[in-house]
Amino acid sequence: QVQLVESGGGSVQAGGSLRLSCAASGYSYARDFKGWFRQGPGKEREGVAFIGSSGGITDTHYADSVKGRFTISQDNAKNTVYLQMNSLKPEDTAMYYCAAATTMGFGPGTYWGQGTQVTVSS
């Protein structure tokens, strides 16, 4: 059974930092695509950061709203994906979810975590 478990969320003041972790069991992060998504109050879920490895090359992509502030990384030995979030803004307040999928489109068959809340106060 595949499980993705997020941790590291919390409350922080604007300008602060948090690091989210997503540990996988029953699934190998060494392959496929991983991503962090978020859903703020009254908003649709949006993709924040993505990471994938192919042929020994790791590639990352970020939403424009977090470029230069967020960094996604993975530790295959620990089967964990991280999201380092710096210079946090109130608009970053959301429930953050990690996901793993065989395609970058994160369509049917995607595995999702239960989410971790991030609250940024001004």
Side-chain angles (χ1 to χ4, degrees):
Q1 183 180 0
V2 175
Q3 275 194 317
L4 304 181
V5 180
E6 300 101 334
S7 61
S11 297
V12 65
Q13 289 192 324
S17 299
L18 286 172
R19 188 176 81 154
L20 307 183
S21 300
C22 180
S25 59
Y27 187 89
S28 172
Y29 272 153
R31 59 182 177 90
D32 299 340
F33 298 92
K34 284 73 68 175
W36 285 95
F37 293 76
R38 68 185 182 187
Q39 187 166 17
K43 299 180 181 179
E44 294 187 354
R45 184 176 295 189
E46 63 171 342
V48 173
F50 307 94
I51 188 168
S53 298
S54 177
I57 298 174
T58 298
D59 196 19
T60 57
H61 298 275
Y62 298 92
D64 288 341
S65 58
V66 306
K67 276 182 183 176
R69 300 188 298 122
F70 290 11
T71 303
I72 188 171
S73 62
Q74 63 184 50
D75 184 333
N76 292 337
K78 295 183 178 180
N79 225 21
T80 300
V81 173
Y82 303 96
L83 184 67
Q84 178 66 44
M85 305 185 296
N86 298 328
S87 302
L88 283 162
K89 304 176 181 180
E91 51 263 45
D92 294 319
T93 294
M95 184 71 80
Y96 283 72
Y97 302 88
C98 67
T102 57
T103 66
M104 198 57 177
F106 291 88
T110 296
Y111 298 108
W112 294 92
Q114 83 288 349
T116 186
Q117 179 68 38
V118 171
T119 302
V120 184
S121 58
S122 57

